[in-house]
Amino acid sequence: MAIDRRREAAGGRPGRQPPLGEENGSLPPGDAAASVPLGGGAGPSSGGEIQSLPSPHPGGGPHSAAAPSLLLLDYDGSVLPFLGGLGGGYQKTLVLLTWIPALFIGFSQFSDSFLLDQPNFWCREAGKGAELAGVTSTGRWGAYDGANWNSPPTTSFSTAAWGPAGNLSNSSGADRGDTPPLWSPPDKGDNASNCDCHAWNYGIRTGLVQNVVSKWDLVCDNAWKVHIAKFSLLVGLIFGYLITGCIADWVGRRPVLLCSIIFILIFGLTVALSVNVTMFSTLRFFEGFCLAGIILTLYALRIELCPPGKRFMITMVASFVAMAGQLLMPGLAALCRDWQVLQALIICPFLLMLLYWSVFPESLRWLMATQQFESAKKLILHFTQKNSMNTETDIKGVMPELEKELSRRPKKVCIVKMVGTRNLWKNIVVLCVNSLTGFGIHHCFARSMMGHEVKVPLLENFYADYYTMASIALASCLAMCVVVRFLGRRGGLLLFMILTALASLLQLGLLNLIGKYSQHPDSGMSDSVKDKFSIAFSIVGMFASHAVGSLSVFFCAEITPTVIRCGGLGLVLASAGFGMLTAPIIELHNQKGYFLHHIIFACCTLICIICILLLPESRNQSLPESLSNGEHYTRQPLLPHKKAEQPLLLTNAELKDYSGLHDAAAAGDALPDSAAANAANGLRSCGSARGLP
């Protein structure tokens, strides 16, 4: 028959290698029953499930012993419950130790907002004696002083890693009460006249007496060096994410964390001793590189310590701690008064993390996934000793299975192996684009909102700008906690991306339409209406885009297998860094190309909405441990079908093999009698149509 001929042509033998699952994560029917899902903690509404890849040598061939025990690879289903889950006191201590450094990371992430803030400046020759020319007897600035006062163009607060992208501030701001009025950036001719002097007075707005700009006079012809200094930290973060992620997957999380701590202390403290802006920018690059290693490894360790139901909330707690660092930064700046003291105060708390060498162990999940069972056994005994547990409570037999595998050689994987997968690389690329879009478009919304600061009194103050951005980020994280609880990871990411796209498109299209009609005197619209709409859309856009960026990073940490988790996280975090890098690039070009920049990212949001539907759902699912686990994440519809409704996609038990590569008997057993009869009639009719017996 036709099936027999195709079977013989395909070389169907008992020892052949079965084909890989389809893109929706299904396995061939001959192996679907033999495969055991890892964890098995998902209910019918929890989304996708992870299935183990079928053995390449079924039937007990000579290589069947090459694969380790499924019990050991099922970390969330066997090893973690044996250790008490997150209920053990030692595990809670380790989670707490991953939260504390988030405060120090928050300080470093937002330090550029204070160290490199461009202050208002004016020629020193303009002031004689105790008062500057133009200051009235009441301490107010007269209109005449505008010629000698140079206010910098709108600039953004720098950001890093998974924090909110940039604050834009153009407020007046000497730290005394007699402040001049705001002036628009001068044209080219006025700039040249204001920059003829050789010394300037500065009105620093951030609570510092002196910062990097005022120390080395980075104004006028040297203003571009400020943007290079902002580049240095972000570029260091990008390279750090990519490189330390690969190293952490190869040598472990703990060595990368400890080395990053040592070197950030060296480079960070040396930054405070910089003698020129070139030295400052170079050292900031290496500081960002080491900071990326700390952020990345702590994020991965936090994820790998937690059971499925606790991962998101524990990650969000770390985000709230980092935001506490953001909120405390203005107080630290006012306390230090000098940028060098502030830089040293930001870095010195990392000295406490040197104690992690003797306190924090290697990731047990990573040791098990890379088959380093000798080290894993020692660490399990260490956990049981710290938790005062008795190994006799090992109901599933984890320790006996571990004893059998002690002679196995470690099997480590590099992130480049992802290229050979069928589904995993697509998921990571989609999340990279989401992260790039979320953090990149955040700057567009921030600049749009702060561009109206002359007309909105609330936004005329540096601290109002700063805390407005922090409040939006805080509200975004709180909304994420609620949305993800009800809609899951994929549904929440889709919702926030839709909000981002709507805010962007309305701001680009509707506001231009309002501006066009406001020019007619009989329209009843004014520029103030357009400004209010713009601010509203900007707030919604910043709110949603921050959630998109943060949720993309967390989503990647869940769907990337343990053996390459740090490498996958590095790719997504580096994409976020590229998105944030667009802010200083636009500033370096004096805001040229800003509108095109916004249009490009608005188009990316529409592409991301479609791509998000291709992602699996990871809520309440076990973390994938190997590449084969990550490859077989099942993609489920956003809304689960009703019990009385027939699903559009067949389940593994109902899957029918139409290729003829498997035995007809096996395919018939996997289907109901009626379905098997219909399939046989279909094949018979196809054979008759082709003239085959």
Side-chain angles (χ1 to χ4, degrees):
M1 293 178 67
I3 294 180
D4 297 331
R5 293 175 185 174
R6 289 195 295 269
R7 186 184 304 119
E8 293 174 1
R13 297 185 302 272
R16 71 182 184 278
Q17 180 175 351
L20 289 176
E22 298 298 328
E23 286 192 16
N24 65 351
S26 61
L27 296 178
D31 299 311
S35 63
V36 180
L38 293 180
S45 61
S46 60
E49 64 180 77
I50 309 172
Q51 296 175 339
S52 60
L53 190 67
S55 173
H57 296 278
H63 299 280
S64 60
S69 172
L70 290 176
L71 183 68
L72 299 180
L73 296 181
D74 185 10
Y75 188 89
D76 286 318
S78 58
V79 180
L80 194 58
F82 167 62
L83 297 176
L86 203 59
Y90 188 53
Q91 288 91 311
K92 292 180 180 178
T93 302
L94 295 179
V95 170
L96 179 62
L97 290 177
T98 64
W99 285 342
I100 295 174
L103 182 67
F104 315 148
I105 292 171
F107 292 153
S108 298
Q109 283 179 320
F110 298 95
S111 59
D112 274 358
S113 302
F114 299 86
L115 300 179
L116 296 171
D117 179 66
Q118 291 180 317
N120 297 317
F121 63 95
W122 61 97
C123 291
R124 188 170 297 172
E125 290 81 359
K128 302 296 182 181
E131 294 183 340
L132 298 177
V135 179
T136 65
S137 58
T138 60
R140 297 291 180 184
W141 288 78
Y144 179 74
D145 300 323
N148 288 325
W149 181 277
N150 192 356
S151 178
T154 304
T155 58
S156 66
F157 289 114
S158 77
T159 58
W162 30 270
N167 274 339
L168 290 140
S169 176
N170 191 23
S171 60
S172 65
D175 43 356
R176 53 187 180 271
D178 47 341
T179 57
L182 286 173
W183 291 84
S184 301
D187 57 22
K188 187 174 181 180
D190 292 338
N191 240 350
S193 61
N194 288 333
C195 293
D196 287 341
C197 53
H198 302 287
W200 295 268
N201 290 323
Y202 296 92
I204 302 177
R205 310 170 298 171
T206 59
L208 297 173
V209 174
Q210 184 185 58
N211 67 355
V212 174
V213 178
S214 62
K215 180 176 178 62
W216 292 307
D217 292 329
L218 303 182
V219 294
C220 296
D221 293 338
N222 291 324
W224 61 273
K225 296 181 181 180
V226 177
H227 304 296
I228 298 300
K230 292 180 180 180
F231 286 167
S232 60
L233 184 67
L234 284 174
V235 173
L237 283 165
I238 291 171
F239 279 95
Y241 289 137
L242 295 174
I243 295 175
T244 59
C246 296
I247 297 175
D249 286 331
W250 196 258
V251 303
R253 285 73 163 121
R254 183 171 177 263
V256 173
L257 175 63
L258 296 175
C259 289
S260 299
I261 293 170
I262 293 173
F263 283 106
I264 198 175
L265 288 170
I266 296 173
F267 292 117
L269 292 176
T270 311
V271 167
L273 304 177
S274 300
V275 296
N276 53 47
V277 68
T278 303
M279 180 179 177
F280 175 86
S281 300
T282 304
L283 292 174
R284 287 285 280 182
F285 170 84
F286 291 106
E287 180 187 350
F289 189 97
C290 299
L291 183 64
I294 296 175
I295 295 172
L296 184 67
T297 51
L298 286 176
Y299 204 104
L301 285 168
R302 196 179 299 121
I303 290 288
E304 293 173 355
L305 276 169
C306 303
K310 304 291 185 181
R311 289 193 298 257
F312 183 72
M313 293 308 301
I314 287 179
T315 302
M316 292 309 300
V317 170
S319 299
F320 290 131
V321 175
M323 288 180 190
Q326 178 185 1
L327 296 174
L328 291 175
M329 270 300 295
L332 287 180
L335 180 65
C336 295
R337 307 291 291 173
D338 187 82
W339 74 269
Q340 292 174 308
V341 179
L342 177 63
Q343 172 67 17
L345 187 61
I346 289 172
I347 297 298
C348 282
F350 286 103
L351 285 169
L352 300 175
M353 295 188 68
L354 292 175
L355 299 175
Y356 281 35
W357 178 264
S358 59
V359 176
F360 214 98
E362 182 56 83
S363 171
L364 178 59
R365 188 187 294 268
W366 178 76
L367 291 175
M368 299 290 287
T370 54
Q371 301 180 17
Q372 301 181 62
F373 295 124
E374 183 69 33
S375 301
K377 178 186 175 182
K378 297 178 181 178
L379 190 54
I380 288 177
L381 295 176
H382 179 69
F383 270 77
T384 55
Q385 181 182 1
K386 288 289 184 179
N387 292 329
S388 301
M389 296 174 56
N390 188 357
T391 56
E392 295 179 357
T393 59
D394 183 9
I395 302 176
K396 294 189 177 182
V398 174
M399 295 304 292
E401 288 291 337
L402 192 59
E403 293 287 347
K404 299 176 184 178
E405 305 288 348
L406 293 180
S407 60
R408 190 178 296 275
R409 296 183 60 182
K411 185 179 179 181
K412 300 177 182 179
V413 183
C414 184
I415 186 63
V416 295
K417 293 289 185 180
M418 174 194 68
V419 181
T421 61
R422 186 173 183 180
N423 299 320
L424 182 60
W425 74 271
K426 299 177 186 178
N427 296 336
I428 294 180
V429 168
V430 168
L431 291 174
C432 286
V433 176
N434 276 270
S435 179
L436 172 66
T437 304
F439 284 101
I441 202 171
H442 195 288
H443 167 67
C444 300
F445 290 122
R447 183 189 179 277
S448 178
M449 185 178 75
M450 298 303 172
H452 301 282
E453 57 189 357
V454 176
K455 303 177 183 180
V456 182
L458 177 64
L459 304 178
E460 293 182 5
N461 183 273
F462 170 84
Y463 296 105
D465 294 346
Y466 188 86
Y467 284 113
T468 298
M469 308 299 287
S471 300
I472 293 174
L474 180 61
S476 178
C477 288
L478 292 173
M480 284 172 57
C481 296
V482 178
V483 172
V484 171
R485 178 179 179 86
F486 290 99
L487 299 182
R489 280 64 160 150
R490 183 177 58 166
L493 183 59
L494 181 62
L495 175 63
F496 287 119
M497 184 59 78
I498 291 174
L499 289 177
T500 304
L502 287 176
S504 180
L505 295 176
L506 289 174
Q507 192 171 55
L508 291 173
L510 181 62
L511 294 184
N512 288 334
L513 184 63
I514 294 176
K516 179 180 179 181
Y517 280 100
S518 63
Q519 296 176 359
H520 299 284
D522 299 334
S523 63
M525 295 184 181
S526 61
D527 289 338
S528 62
V529 176
K530 178 182 175 181
D531 294 338
K532 292 178 181 178
F533 272 109
S534 179
I535 292 175
F537 291 147
S538 298
I539 292 175
V540 174
M542 286 188 291
F543 170 86
S545 60
H546 179 271
V548 166
S550 301
L551 197 52
S552 298
V553 176
F554 175 75
F555 207 163
C556 177
E558 284 199 320
I559 68 173
T560 306
T562 301
V563 291
I564 58 169
R565 178 163 294 118
C566 286
L569 268 175
L571 290 174
V572 177
L573 287 170
S575 300
F578 277 115
M580 290 184 288
L581 196 60
T582 58
I585 290 176
I586 294 296
E587 292 171 9
L588 183 61
H589 290 83
N590 198 21
Q591 307 297 337
K592 293 179 180 178
Y594 159 76
F595 187 72
L596 180 61
H597 172 218
H598 197 169
I599 289 178
I600 292 174
F601 278 115
C603 295
C604 289
T605 58
L606 301 178
I607 299 174
C608 290
I609 290 174
I610 301 174
C611 294
I612 288 172
L613 298 175
L614 303 176
L615 296 174
E617 177 57 60
S618 58
R619 179 173 58 174
N620 294 330
Q621 295 299 312
S622 301
L623 291 178
E625 308 297 340
S626 62
L627 290 179
S628 59
N629 298 150
E631 184 71 0
H632 287 81
Y633 245 132
T634 304
R635 212 167 43 240
Q636 297 287 344
L638 285 175
L639 300 176
H641 62 274
K642 300 177 182 179
K643 294 182 179 180
E645 181 182 354
Q646 179 69 21
L648 297 178
L649 296 179
L650 296 176
T651 61
N652 289 335
E654 299 169 339
L655 184 63
K656 177 179 177 297
D657 182 28
Y658 289 95
S659 65
L661 296 179
H662 291 272
D663 294 333
D669 292 339
L671 293 172
D673 295 338
S674 59
N678 293 335
N681 293 333
L683 289 174
R684 190 178 300 110
S685 61
C686 291
S688 301
R690 297 188 179 187
L692 296 176

